[in-house]
């Protein structure tokens, strides 16, 4: 017994609170744990952070050590229980920005009592034990030697490093991309997540704090000279007036699968036919960064670029935006809806959609399904569309409805009985499977279009189908090159950033394949023009897709720039005609202008500059 009593109290406290944290993750929150590896990370992160925090105790003298241990245990318990109560209401974790948003906190306040369950009292057991141990003088509290302190620091740092390394294996770029708060909590734990959130919020807020409206003048002038001035009125103005707009994001679809065959079979037979009845933009580029799907949503809704090193949905969801849903509601009374059968907190959508002015977000909670209805990341696209049709019956017209598919997502795995075509046969399993899931989503979209027809929702709608970003990374260049029958040079790799963009207008007159250079940045001005909304003072970096006179380049988020005759990639200038490297100066113009634009767009977002701009008058105003 005496031996046991010699164990330092801070170690006992670390184990108690760490174990409790794990128990809460496992049994109180509803986190989806699918593999043994995820289970291990969950346990390790709970213990590692608890060790890291409690081990600080060695630096205090005995009396303060005692106080430190008690206060730490209380604060950690409070954080856990507060998150638990918040989670029960919002299926999400507390963040600093939401904490300061009255609507959320207010909602919670009124129902707080009902969110605390009697069984939560069990979560105070560790606290009670720690108090008891102190009272009974069990376990050791003493002044530790320098050597011991160093060892303890080494142990706690190692624990954190192991946790981080495992998290990196499970979810590469977790911190950079953010993904989902649930992912963060599962991989690095609640406390590290809060620290991460605090750092992001502090850095976002400090940049915002020092910004003023003065930068907007220059940006406004640039947009005027290089974006607004060059547009010409065209005949599609107002064509969508009073019609519903249905936008379908075909996850990970790249243009190379369109009108392409595998083993003598079309990969996307439905889209290929649908294109015959629609406008098809064959040189349309995605412009996403690390925020992938969410970046694509950001770009199309705002006509601004996504951010260089972070997911803007995560880092700047508190900004002011002049987004598409807001404008079309104000000008034409359109309601905006998003349908996506994933966690609402993924990519911070539940927060960002509100900021962008969506009226309703039908997330995973709106769909009813069993595990056998899932493929890959979640509910399969066929069932997803089937249920979405039902949900659509409740929405108000005219609407802008956005559908985000999921089945054709990396790693493109599909049960053999669900696949209608054979896999490809190359050294890349990813590419091999890619065609099968692409076909699946093609079929799902076909079924959706048929259901829209059955429900009488088709004729009144403008239907846009597009890929959100690439699905096959450069890692698979060799297999890709074999499939396409050409070397994947940096030039070809840039060409592979094209995603299908299809605009279906419900009459036979508006069809054709358009080769003009285009990208996601053009979405918003295009929709506004189709709705007949004049938005002269808007700050966007894209042009109406149907305008003859357009900006002469498309900037990808990673520094590559596509011009009409030349393309800049990997530090070289390529000529479209030959795909060969030419003298760098040919790309100077597009490269410089693209860089300037990206910088302006970043400045707007980092500084939250739209709060200083009056979009009606095109004037700078005080906040
Ligand atoms: C997640 C889905 C996929 O909700 O949109 O996201 P991605 O990994 O493609 O960005
Ligand atoms: Mn995606």
């Amino acid at each position: 017994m005496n031996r046991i009593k010699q164990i330092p109290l801070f170690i006992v406290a670390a184990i108690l609170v760490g174990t409790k944290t794990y128990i809460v993750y496992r049994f109180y929150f509803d986190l989806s744990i699918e593999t043994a590896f995820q289970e291990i990370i969950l346990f390790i992160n709970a213990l590692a952070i608890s060790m890291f925090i409690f081990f600080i105790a060695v630096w205090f003298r005995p009396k303060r050590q005692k106080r430190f241990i008690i206060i730490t245990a209380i604060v950690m318990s409070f954080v856990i229980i507060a998150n638990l109560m918040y989670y029960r209401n919002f299926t999400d974790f507390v963040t600093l920005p939401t904490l300061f948003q009255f609507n959320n906190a207010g909602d919670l306040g009124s129902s707080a009592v009902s969110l605390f369950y009697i069984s939560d009292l069990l979560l105070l057991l560790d606290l009670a034990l720690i108090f008891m141990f102190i009272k009974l003088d069990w376990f050791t509290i003493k002044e530790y030697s320098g050597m011991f302190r160093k060892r303890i620091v080494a142990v706690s740092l190692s624990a954190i490093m192991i946790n981080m390394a495992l998290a990196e294996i499970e979810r590469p770029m977790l911190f950079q991309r953010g993904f989902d708060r649930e992912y963060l909590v599962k991989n690095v734990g609640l406390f590290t997540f809060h620290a991460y959130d605090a750092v992001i919020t502090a850095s976002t807020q400090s940049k915002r704090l020092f910004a003023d409206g003065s930068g907007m003048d220059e940006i406004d002038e640039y947009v005027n000279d290089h974006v607004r001035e060059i547009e010409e009125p065209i005949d599609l103005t107002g064509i969508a007036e009073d019609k519903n707009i249905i936008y379908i994001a075909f996850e990970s679809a790249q243009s190379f699968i369109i009108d392409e065959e595998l083993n003598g079979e079309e990969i996307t037979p439905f889209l290929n036919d649908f294109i015959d009845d629609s406008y098809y933009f064959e040189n349309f580029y995605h412009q996403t960064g690390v925020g992938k799907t969410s970046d694509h949503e950001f770009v199309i809704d705002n006509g601004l670029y996504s951010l260089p090193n972070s997911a803007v949905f995560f880092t700047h969801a508190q900004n002011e935006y002049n987004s598409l849903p807001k404008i079309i509601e104000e000008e034409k009374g359109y309601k905006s809806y998003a349908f996506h059968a994933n966690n609402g907190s993924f990519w911070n959508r539940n927060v960002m959609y509100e900021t962008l002015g969506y009226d309703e977000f039908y997330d995973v909670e709106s769909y009813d399904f069993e595990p056998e209805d899932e493929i890959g990341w979640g509910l399969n696209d066929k069932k997803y569309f089937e249920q979405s049709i039902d949900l659509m019956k409740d929405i108000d017209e005219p609407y802008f409805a956005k559908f985000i598919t999921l089945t054709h997502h990396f790693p493109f795995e599909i049960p053999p009985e669900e696949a209608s075509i054979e896999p490809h046969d190359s050294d890349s399993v990813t590419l091999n499977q890619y065609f099968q899931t692409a076909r699946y989503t093609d079929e799902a979209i076909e079924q959706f279009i048929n259901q829209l027809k059955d429900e009488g929702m088709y004729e009144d709608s403008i239907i846009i189908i597009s890929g959100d970003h690439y699905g096959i990374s450069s890692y698979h260049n060799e297999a890709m090159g074999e499939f396409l029958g050409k070397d994947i040079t940096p030039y070809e790799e840039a060409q592979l950033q094209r995603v299908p963009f299809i605009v279906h207008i419900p009459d036979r007159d508006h069809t054709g394949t358009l080769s003009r250079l285009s990208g996601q940045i053009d979405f918003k001005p295009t929709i506004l023009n189709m709705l007949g909304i004049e938005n002269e003072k808007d700050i966007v970096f894209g042009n109406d897709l149907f305008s003859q006179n357009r900006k002469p380049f498309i900037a990808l988020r990673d520094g590559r720039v596509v011009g009409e005759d030349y393309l800049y990639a990997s530090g070289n200038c390529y000529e479209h005609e030959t795909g060969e490297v030419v003298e760098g100066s040919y790309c100077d113009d597009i490269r410089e202008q693209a860089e300037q634009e990206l910088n302006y767009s970043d400045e707007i977002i980092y500084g939250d500059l739209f709060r200083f701009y009056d979009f009606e008058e095109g004037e700078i105003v005080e906040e």
Side-chain angles (χ1 to χ4, degrees):
M1 193 62 190
N2 262 346
R3 272 238 175 87
I4 293 181
K5 282 190 181 171
Q6 277 168 19
I7 299 174
L9 182 67
F10 71 85
I11 294 186
V12 176
I15 294 172
L16 279 175
V17 176
T19 312
K20 169 174 79 182
T21 312
Y22 170 73
I23 291 173
V24 175
Y25 290 161
R26 200 66 189 78
F27 304 107
Y28 284 69
F29 289 121
D30 183 22
L31 307 178
S32 68
I33 300 292
E34 275 143 24
T35 62
F37 188 59
Q38 291 178 354
E39 184 85 60
I40 292 169
I41 298 184
L42 195 68
F43 180 70
I44 289 184
N45 85 50
L47 203 63
I49 194 68
S50 181
M51 282 163 65
F52 184 79
I53 298 173
F54 278 104
F55 282 15
I56 295 172
V58 292
W59 299 93
F60 296 112
R61 297 188 172 194
K63 210 166 149 200
R64 293 211 162 167
Q65 210 177 103
K66 202 186 288 176
R67 209 180 305 155
F68 173 80
I69 292 173
I70 292 175
I71 293 175
T72 304
I74 293 176
V75 170
M76 286 175 78
S77 299
F78 175 78
V79 171
I80 292 173
I81 293 172
N83 270 286
L84 188 59
M85 291 168 66
Y86 187 85
Y87 187 89
R88 284 177 180 145
N89 211 26
F90 299 108
T91 333
D92 203 348
F93 300 93
V94 179
T95 64
L96 285 178
T98 41
L99 205 59
F100 293 114
Q101 255 176 11
F102 291 127
N103 49 353
N104 268 354
D107 284 354
L108 194 59
S110 55
S111 51
V113 185
S114 63
L115 296 171
F116 189 85
Y117 301 174
I118 295 293
S119 57
D120 295 349
L121 288 173
L122 280 178
L123 299 179
L124 301 175
L125 194 64
D126 56 336
L127 277 183
L129 286 174
I130 291 170
F131 272 114
M132 192 181 85
F133 294 152
I134 290 176
K135 260 255 145 350
L136 299 179
D137 224 0
W138 280 19
F139 303 108
T140 304
I141 295 182
K142 66 171 189 189
E143 174 121 20
Y144 294 101
S145 68
M147 191 58 183
F148 186 80
R149 287 175 174 169
K150 277 185 203 144
R151 280 195 193 140
I152 283 295
V153 169
V155 172
S156 62
L157 284 181
S158 311
I160 293 289
M161 303 286 261
I162 291 172
N163 177 199
M164 294 304 148
L166 294 177
E168 181 62 25
I169 295 171
E170 172 68 15
R171 272 285 139 193
M173 294 172 80
L174 182 62
F175 283 118
Q176 205 176 1
R177 306 179 62 177
F179 296 109
D180 189 358
R181 281 181 280 281
E182 180 173 320
Y183 281 30
L184 283 159
V185 171
K186 280 197 300 197
N187 288 291
V188 298
L190 197 54
F191 301 100
T192 312
F193 157 68
H194 283 310
Y196 165 82
D197 175 51
V199 170
I200 295 224
T201 309
S203 97
T204 318
Q205 287 306 326
S206 61
K207 286 199 189 111
R208 186 180 181 277
L209 213 61
F210 293 114
D212 58 35
S214 59
M216 277 310 288
D217 266 337
E218 196 184 319
I219 297 174
D220 188 40
E221 201 179 306
Y222 172 87
V223 171
N224 211 38
D225 295 349
H226 295 91
V227 189
R228 291 180 196 137
E229 283 291 284
I230 64 168
E231 287 205 6
E232 273 179 6
I234 43 115
D235 61 344
L236 289 196
T237 304
I239 194 162
E241 230 161 328
D242 298 328
K243 295 204 181 333
N244 296 319
I245 296 171
I246 294 177
Y247 174 73
I248 303 170
F250 188 152
E251 173 62 43
S252 298
Q254 287 170 249
S255 301
F256 79 90
I257 55 173
I258 298 296
D259 269 328
E260 179 68 76
E261 291 187 352
L262 177 71
N263 306 321
E265 274 197 83
E266 283 178 273
I267 299 159
T268 55
F270 173 70
L271 284 194
N272 299 348
D273 284 351
F274 195 66
I275 282 171
D276 289 341
D277 283 340
S278 314
Y279 283 117
Y280 177 59
F281 292 82
E282 62 177 1
N283 282 314
F284 186 95
Y285 289 80
H286 84 80
Q287 295 170 291
T288 65
V290 294
K292 303 298 280 288
T293 312
S294 66
D295 277 358
H296 124 276
E297 293 180 67
F298 182 81
V299 180
I300 68 173
D301 276 351
N302 296 291
L304 300 175
Y305 294 99
S306 55
L307 291 177
N309 303 309
S310 65
V312 55
F313 259 46
F314 246 101
T315 51
H316 293 79
Q318 264 63 44
N319 274 16
E320 235 177 270
Y321 296 106
N322 190 38
S323 58
L324 186 65
K326 283 194 199 162
I327 300 173
I328 61 181
E329 163 127 55
E330 211 173 286
E331 300 286 330
K332 301 275 175 178
Y334 273 68
K335 296 280 178 201
S336 294
Y337 302 92
F339 298 79
H340 181 46
N342 197 358
N343 285 355
S345 61
F346 203 100
W347 288 134
N348 202 26
R349 286 186 176 103
N350 51 359
V351 178
M352 189 53 148
Y353 281 170
E354 241 183 271
T355 303
L356 294 177
Y358 281 86
D359 294 281
E360 189 88 49
F361 173 21
Y362 297 95
D363 70 1
V364 70
E365 305 286 333
S366 304
Y367 295 82
D368 185 19
F369 58 98
E370 304 296 326
E372 59 266 26
D373 300 327
E374 293 183 25
I375 297 180
W377 273 45
L379 177 61
N380 71 55
D381 287 346
K382 290 182 183 171
K383 292 247 154 86
Y384 155 71
F385 277 127
E386 227 168 80
Q387 295 190 28
S388 298
I389 283 274
D390 286 336
L391 295 169
M392 281 173 85
K393 292 176 186 156
D394 292 335
I395 67 180
D396 292 331
E397 294 186 291
Y399 56 74
F400 167 57
K402 168 163 77 176
F403 297 86
I404 302 172
T405 60
L406 204 53
T407 304
H408 186 44
H409 192 287
F410 178 83
F412 314 109
E413 282 166 353
I414 185 166
E417 66 275 14
E418 294 288 351
S420 320
I421 52 171
E422 291 297 311
H424 177 47
D425 173 27
S426 76
D427 287 343
S428 160
V429 178
T430 305
L431 182 65
N432 296 350
Q433 299 177 152
Y434 180 84
F435 300 105
Q436 293 181 297
T437 45
R439 165 61 86 86
Y440 185 93
T441 300
D442 183 69
E443 289 167 0
I445 295 176
E446 173 173 26
Q447 171 209 298
F448 182 53
I449 300 286
N450 286 333
Q451 283 160 343
L452 288 174
K453 286 181 182 164
D454 292 347
E455 299 293 340
M457 295 171 172
Y458 179 77
E459 287 301 323
D460 267 346
S461 307
I462 303 282
I463 299 174
I464 301 172
I465 305 175
S466 179
D468 56 351
H469 49 73
Y470 71 84
I472 301 294
S473 69
S474 54
Y475 182 75
H476 305 276
N477 275 356
E478 213 178 300
M480 183 67 109
E482 275 166 30
F483 176 76
L484 296 175
K486 50 183 163 192
D487 271 356
I488 306 299
T489 59
Y491 174 79
E492 292 297 341
E493 209 179 301
Q495 294 288 290
L496 282 169
Q497 306 314 308
R498 285 176 296 181
V499 295
F501 194 81
I502 305 166
V503 180
H504 179 84
I505 295 164
D507 64 36
R508 293 266 155 171
D509 300 340
H510 292 96
T511 61
T513 294
L514 304 174
S515 308
R516 61 194 60 172
L517 186 55
S518 50
Q520 288 165 339
I521 201 86
D522 300 320
F523 185 90
K524 178 184 170 192
T526 307
I527 300 291
L528 290 179
N529 185 53
M530 286 173 83
L531 287 173
I533 298 174
E534 279 180 29
N535 211 39
E536 286 154 7
K537 301 296 179 193
D538 200 1
I539 304 274
V540 291
F541 294 101
N543 294 129
D544 181 345
L545 284 162
F546 294 100
S547 167
Q548 294 299 328
N549 230 352
R550 299 168 33 78
K551 255 175 39 189
F553 67 91
I554 285 291
L556 307 194
R557 186 60 260 200
D558 58 10
R560 287 182 282 191
V561 188
V562 191
E564 270 151 5
D565 300 319
Y566 302 100
L567 181 155
Y568 178 77
S570 303
N572 283 318
C573 188
Y574 293 83
E575 190 181 45
H576 279 303
E577 214 172 290
T578 58
E580 300 293 330
V581 175
V582 293
E583 203 187 304
S585 58
Y586 287 118
C587 281
D588 283 355
D589 278 355
I590 55 170
R591 197 167 49 83
E592 279 160 21
Q593 208 181 321
E595 195 179 300
Q596 188 172 35
E597 254 188 44
L598 288 164
N599 285 341
Y600 282 145
S601 178
D602 294 349
E603 251 176 65
I604 291 172
I605 299 169
Y606 289 141
D608 190 8
L609 296 189
F610 281 176
R611 67 200 150 117
F612 304 116
Y613 191 76
D614 176 347
F615 285 92
E616 296 274 304
E617 305 296 328
E619 281 171 4
I620 314 297
V621 288
E622 286 306 305
E623 191 178 5

